[in-house]
Amino acid sequence: QVQLVESGGGLVQAGGSLRVSCAASGRTFSSYAMGWFRQAPGKEREFVVAISGSGGTTYYTDSVKGRFTISRDNAKKMVILQMNSLKPEDTAIYYCAASQYYSGSSTAEEYDYWGQGTQVTVSS
């Protein structure tokens, strides 16, 4: 059982940076792979990045490689997404998610728990 709460979204100019956080509750947090997805108005939910339970392996979608960095602190039950060099096309609601059985999955159906999302808006 995991509950997830995102925070840290906001408005930033193109080229700027934001850090979004996901605070988790649950007795077995370290056993869950964690992912970030995003969804823009009228578009499908899109995979952004995932991290294994130990934090040792990460998976990034091509559009954010070199700009976004995911990390986790299992002691604090926290997942962080650092977003640099932001572009207007990064504008979306960002959701964190937890997967019990899959590591590094880019498929939303393979995640079991979801946060409420936080809005990230990048102006040109």
Side-chain angles (χ1 to χ4, degrees):
Q1 303 295 321
V2 176
Q3 292 182 327
L4 307 172
V5 180
E6 302 97 332
S7 62
L11 174 65
V12 64
Q13 290 187 325
S17 298
L18 278 176
R19 181 180 302 200
V20 292
S21 302
C22 179
S25 64
R27 297 173 62 186
T28 57
F29 176 72
S30 63
S31 68
Y32 291 83
M34 299 294 297
W36 286 93
F37 290 75
R38 63 188 182 186
Q39 188 166 23
K43 299 188 68 176
E44 295 291 321
R45 189 180 302 170
E46 176 189 25
F47 171 77
V48 179
V49 62
I51 188 168
S52 62
S54 67
T57 307
T58 57
Y59 308 85
Y60 295 86
T61 193
D62 286 343
S63 64
V64 307
K65 287 181 179 177
R67 300 189 298 121
F68 291 11
T69 303
I70 189 172
S71 61
R72 68 189 294 164
D73 185 334
N74 287 339
K76 296 181 178 179
K77 297 182 178 180
M78 184 76 68
V79 181
I80 303 296
L81 180 63
Q82 177 67 46
M83 302 182 287
N84 299 325
S85 301
L86 282 162
K87 304 174 181 179
E89 52 262 43
D90 295 319
T91 295
I93 299 175
Y94 282 70
Y95 299 90
C96 65
S99 175
Q100 296 183 69
Y101 307 113
Y102 299 93
S103 179
S105 177
S106 62
T107 303
E109 289 77 10
E110 294 176 345
Y111 287 80
D112 304 288
Y113 304 98
W114 295 83
Q116 83 289 348
T118 186
Q119 178 70 49
V120 172
T121 303
V122 184
S123 62
S124 60

